[in-house]
Amino acid sequence: MRIAVQTAPFDLGDEAARFASAQSHSGAVVTFTGVVRDVSGGLQAMEIEHYPGMTERALTDIAQQAMDRWSLEDALVIHRHGTLTVGEQIMMVATAARHRKDAFEAAEFLMDYLKSRAPFWKREVTGDGEAWVAARDEDEDALKRW
Amino acid sequence: MRIAVQTAPFDLGDEAARFASAQSHSGAVVTFTGVVRDVSGGLQAMEIEHYPGMTERALTDIAQQAMDRWSLEDALVIHRHGTLTVGEQIMMVATAARHRKDAFEAAEFLMDYLKSRAPFWKREVTGDGEAWVAARDEDEDALKRW
Amino acid sequence: MDVLYFAWVRERIGIPKERVDSSAATVMDLVNELRAREDRYAAAFEDVSALRVAIDQELADFDAPLDGVREVAFFPPMTGG
Amino acid sequence: MDVLYFAWVRERIGIPKERVDSSAATVMDLVNELRAREDRYAAAFEDVSALRVAIDQELADFDAPLDGVREVAFFPPMTGG
C-alpha cells in the first residue's frame, strides 16, 4: 500500500506499470486517473489546497479500509496539490486483486471516499477570476452505497 | 475507439499513458488489466485460443455498446492470444469520460461482456498436463446487471 | 457451408474446420447430422447445453435457421478477459 | 489550541492558522466565541452547515468536546479527486 501527496507531476504510465508488475498473486489491476478538464471554457489553472498531515492520515485510513473490506493484494493513492493546468493528471488510485469485482469495487470506494473525505479543496482560475469548486451532492450521496 | 487482438505483449504503462493523453474533454480515465496468475501452483503457461474474424467483430460490438450507453469520450480494448506465462498481461480495457461513474461502469460492462461474449478460450498448461479453463457461472450472472 | 470448431470441441473432433454439405434447416438439425457421422462427433456434441454456436460470426441459438449461412462455429462457453 | 482555516474559510478570516486560548467546551462553543470577535469571523462562520470541522486531524461533529484537543480545523466540504 502506498500513499503519496505531492506537488510534482506523476507519470500514469510508469505508475500503472510499476504497480501492476509488483503484484504476484493478482489477476486484476484497476486504475483510475483524474485529469484537469476545462468544462465551461477559459480555465487557466486549477489550484489544489490541502491540509498537510491530515491529508496523509485520511488517505492512509481510506486505503486501509479498502484493504480490509475487499480481498486486495495492494492499493496505491497519489494525489497532487498546488497549481495544475488543463490536461494535467491530478490524482490516481490503483487496486490489485485476484478477482476483477474486488479490484473494481475497491477502486470506486477509494474514489468516492477520497472525493468527499480527504482534505483537498479545488479552486478554478479563469480570465474572470478565481472560484472555489463547490462540493457536489452526488459525491456525498455516492458514499451511501458503501 | 481502438480494438486490438494480438499475440504480441503490450505495455500497460505506455497504453494507459497514450490513451489518457489522447483525451481532451475527459476528467476520468479507468483502466482494467488482466494478468496471468498461478492460482493453484505449477502453472507453466496459459494458452489462449480465439476465433479470428469473429473476435474483432465481437469486441468492436461490445465497445460500441459501451460508447452508446455511457457518456464516453473513448474506449480501448486490447486482448492477446497465443501462449503466455505467469505474470504476463493478457488484456486491458480503458475508458475515458467526464465523470468517474461513467468511466467505471463502462469499464465493468466491457469486462463482463468480454469475459463471456468474446470468443476466447483459455487453456492452462501445468506439469500434470493441460486443461481448458471452465466458464464460471458468476461470469455469466454478471451480465444480468446490465 | 464451413463448419468451425474451437477449444475442446476442436480437440474432440480432431480438426479445426471442414466443409459440410448439408440441407439441415436449423443448427440442431446440423448437430444431429454430425452426431450420426462418427463417435468423435457424437462425443463432441454429446451435451449441447455445454456448447455455444455462432452463425456467420455472430452468437446464435441452436434452433436458428441455416438458410443462406456461410459459416457455423461450435465451441464451449467463452473464457476471455 | 491551534485553530486552522482552509479554502474560503481561510480567505474570509484572512489567516491560515492562529493560537486560540479558549475554555470552549465544544466545537460549537468555540465557533460562537470566534463569531463574537470580528465581522470576518462572523462572515466565515455564518452558516456552519456549509462547514466541516476536524479535531486533531480527524473529521468531527460541531458538538464534539474540545477537552485535551491540540488542533481544530475549519473548512468547506472537501473537493478532492
Side-chain angles (χ1 to χ4, degrees):
Chain A
M1 195 174 107
R2 186 164 79 87
I3 307 296
V5 181
Q6 61 192 48
T7 52
F10 61 89
D11 187 292
L12 161 62
D14 289 350
E15 296 292 347
R18 189 182 313 146
F19 181 81
S21 66
Q23 314 307 325
S24 55
H25 304 295
S26 296
V29 174
V30 168
T31 72
F32 177 93
T33 310
V35 181
V36 178
R37 64 171 194 265
D38 186 8
V39 175
S40 33
L43 186 70
Q44 293 170 352
M46 171 81 81
E47 296 174 355
I48 303 177
E49 181 172 336
H50 81 122
Y51 182 171
M54 178 171 168
T55 308
E56 292 77 1
R57 288 174 66 149
L59 294 178
T60 302
D61 178 59
I62 293 165
Q64 190 58 54
Q65 281 185 53
M67 297 287 290
D68 293 344
R69 186 155 168 180
W70 285 276
S71 288
L72 296 190
E73 184 179 357
D74 200 3
L76 166 69
V77 179
I78 302 174
H79 205 302
R80 295 175 65 193
H81 58 97
T83 302
L84 283 71
T85 55
V86 174
E88 280 196 83
Q89 289 157 6
I90 304 173
M91 49 73 61
M92 74 176 285
V93 304
T95 54
R98 275 185 54 176
H99 298 296
R100 72 185 185 284
K101 188 170 187 294
D102 288 310
F104 269 120
E105 283 191 7
E108 291 190 76
F109 170 90
L110 284 173
M111 284 308 304
D112 286 349
Y113 269 81
L114 191 153
K115 277 261 169 195
S116 304
R117 292 292 181 269
F120 291 100
W121 301 275
K122 292 199 188 96
R123 183 159 63 166
E124 292 182 339
V125 181
T126 66
D128 297 331
E130 304 178 352
W132 291 98
V133 173
R136 302 189 313 165
D137 288 344
E138 61 201 271
D139 283 332
E140 188 65 30
D141 291 345
L143 299 183
K144 291 176 186 155
R145 62 174 161 156
W146 305 112
Chain B
M1 195 174 107
R2 185 163 79 87
I3 307 297
V5 181
Q6 61 191 47
T7 53
F10 62 89
D11 187 292
L12 160 62
D14 289 351
E15 296 292 348
R18 189 182 314 146
F19 181 80
S21 67
Q23 314 307 325
S24 56
H25 304 295
S26 295
V29 174
V30 168
T31 72
F32 177 92
T33 311
V35 182
V36 178
R37 65 171 194 264
D38 186 9
V39 175
S40 33
L43 186 70
Q44 292 169 354
M46 171 81 81
E47 295 175 354
I48 302 176
E49 182 171 335
H50 81 122
Y51 182 171
M54 178 171 169
T55 308
E56 292 78 0
R57 288 175 64 148
L59 293 179
T60 302
D61 178 58
I62 293 165
Q64 190 58 55
Q65 281 185 54
M67 297 286 290
D68 293 345
R69 187 156 167 179
W70 286 275
S71 288
L72 294 190
E73 184 179 357
D74 200 4
L76 166 69
V77 179
I78 303 174
H79 205 303
R80 295 176 63 191
H81 57 97
T83 302
L84 284 71
T85 55
V86 174
E88 279 195 83
Q89 289 157 7
I90 304 173
M91 49 72 61
M92 75 175 283
V93 305
T95 54
R98 274 186 53 176
H99 298 295
R100 72 185 187 284
K101 188 169 188 293
D102 288 309
F104 270 120
E105 282 190 9
E108 290 189 76
F109 171 91
L110 284 173
M111 284 308 304
D112 285 349
Y113 269 82
L114 192 153
K115 278 262 168 194
S116 304
R117 292 292 180 270
F120 291 99
W121 300 275
K122 292 198 188 97
R123 183 160 65 167
E124 292 181 340
V125 181
T126 66
D128 296 332
E130 303 177 352
W132 292 99
V133 173
R136 302 190 312 165
D137 288 342
E138 61 200 271
D139 283 332
E140 189 66 29
D141 290 346
L143 300 182
K144 291 176 187 157
R145 63 173 160 158
W146 304 113
Chain C
M1 76 195 89
D2 289 323
V3 181
L4 284 69
Y5 310 111
F6 291 96
W8 57 254
V9 182
R10 171 180 55 70
E11 290 181 327
R12 284 194 196 171
I13 293 175
I15 50 172
K17 184 175 177 176
E18 64 184 315
R19 182 92 201 153
V20 173
D21 289 313
S22 165
S23 55
T26 67
V27 173
M28 201 60 220
D29 293 339
L30 175 64
V31 167
N32 286 328
E33 282 184 15
L34 293 168
R35 276 172 172 163
R37 280 181 168 187
E38 288 178 49
D39 283 353
R40 57 194 171 108
Y41 288 95
F45 290 107
E46 188 179 7
D47 175 13
V48 292
S49 76
L51 295 181
R52 300 289 179 267
V53 61
I55 294 180
D56 289 337
Q57 305 189 351
E58 299 263 7
L59 286 171
D61 294 322
F62 280 82
D63 57 6
L66 290 180
D67 192 37
V69 164
R70 296 178 311 278
E71 185 172 303
V72 178
F74 295 101
F75 41 79
M78 294 156 274
T79 54
Chain D
M1 74 194 93
D2 289 324
V3 181
L4 284 68
Y5 310 111
F6 291 97
W8 57 254
V9 181
R10 172 179 54 71
E11 290 181 327
R12 286 194 195 171
I13 294 176
I15 50 171
K17 183 175 176 176
E18 64 185 315
R19 182 91 200 155
V20 174
D21 288 314
S22 166
S23 55
T26 68
V27 172
M28 200 60 218
D29 292 338
L30 175 63
V31 166
N32 286 328
E33 282 184 15
L34 293 169
R35 275 173 171 162
R37 280 185 170 184
E38 288 179 48
D39 284 353
R40 59 194 170 107
Y41 287 95
F45 289 107
E46 187 179 7
D47 175 13
V48 292
S49 76
L51 295 181
R52 300 290 179 267
V53 61
I55 294 179
D56 289 337
Q57 305 191 350
E58 300 264 7
L59 286 171
D61 295 321
F62 280 82
D63 58 4
L66 289 180
D67 192 37
V69 165
R70 295 179 310 278
E71 185 172 303
V72 178
F74 295 102
F75 40 80
M78 294 156 274
T79 54

